[in-house]
């Protein structure tokens, strides 16, 4: 299993939009919005990139075997680092296994 972290700016906006507007994802993402179109997506990704510039940390796109499976990482929330993890449904049930494999990979 090949696991990679990439910047969100490297991901096709169509893939991000599909994930961030999925009804099951929106059930667990209170700040989510079904009006997440291409223009909104570009602004959202730019905001995530600016977060990296401002705080030195942020969210990553999660790529498994060449497929975008979601995004996650730390985001500043009122001075605290808040962990976010948003996954495509097909990956959400196996994420513990995926994380274990990633951690066990030699550097």
């Amino acid at each position: 299993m090949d696991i990679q972290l990439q910047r969100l700016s490297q991901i096709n906006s169509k893939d991000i939009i599909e994930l961030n507007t999925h009804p099951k994802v929106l059930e667990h993402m209170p700040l989510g919005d079904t009006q997440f179109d291409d223009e909104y997506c570009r602004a959202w990704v730019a905001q995530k990139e600016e977060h990296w510039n401002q705080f030195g940390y942020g969210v990553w796109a999660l790529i498994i075997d060449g497929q975008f499976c979601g995004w996650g990482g730390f985001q500043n929330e009122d001075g605290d680092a808040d962990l976010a993890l948003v996954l495509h449904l097909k990956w959400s049930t196996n994420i513990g296994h995926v994380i274990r494999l990633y951690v066990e990979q030699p550097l």
Side-chain angles (χ1 to χ4, degrees):
M1 180 177 290
D2 180 43
I3 302 170
Q4 297 177 5
L5 301 176
Q6 296 180 3
R7 296 299 275 265
L8 286 170
S9 57
Q10 296 175 272
I11 304 303
N12 186 314
S13 61
K14 175 185 75 65
D15 294 330
I16 297 171
I17 292 166
E18 178 185 325
L19 173 63
N20 283 2
T21 60
H22 191 286
K24 289 287 188 188
V25 169
L26 288 172
E27 286 179 18
H28 303 281
M29 200 163 61
L31 299 178
D33 190 341
T34 59
Q35 303 305 309
F36 198 97
D37 60 11
D38 194 59
E39 181 180 342
Y40 190 96
C41 183
R42 284 193 305 273
W44 181 83
V45 168
Q47 179 186 29
K48 298 301 182 192
E49 292 294 317
E50 180 55 34
H51 187 280
W52 276 98
N53 296 332
Q54 184 176 357
F55 297 101
Y57 62 90
V59 299
W60 294 98
L62 307 171
I63 310 298
I64 300 176
D65 293 335
Q67 290 185 308
F68 173 66
C69 69
W71 59 268
F74 291 99
Q75 303 177 108
N76 185 310
E77 188 69 37
D78 298 325
D80 291 324
D82 183 51
L83 177 63
L85 184 59
V86 178
L87 300 170
H88 276 287
L89 296 178
K90 79 178 229 177
W91 295 102
S92 63
T93 56
N94 295 322
I95 194 61
H97 176 69
V98 169
I99 290 171
R100 183 179 57 79
L101 288 174
Y102 183 76
V103 170
E104 292 176 356
Q105 286 182 359
L107 296 176

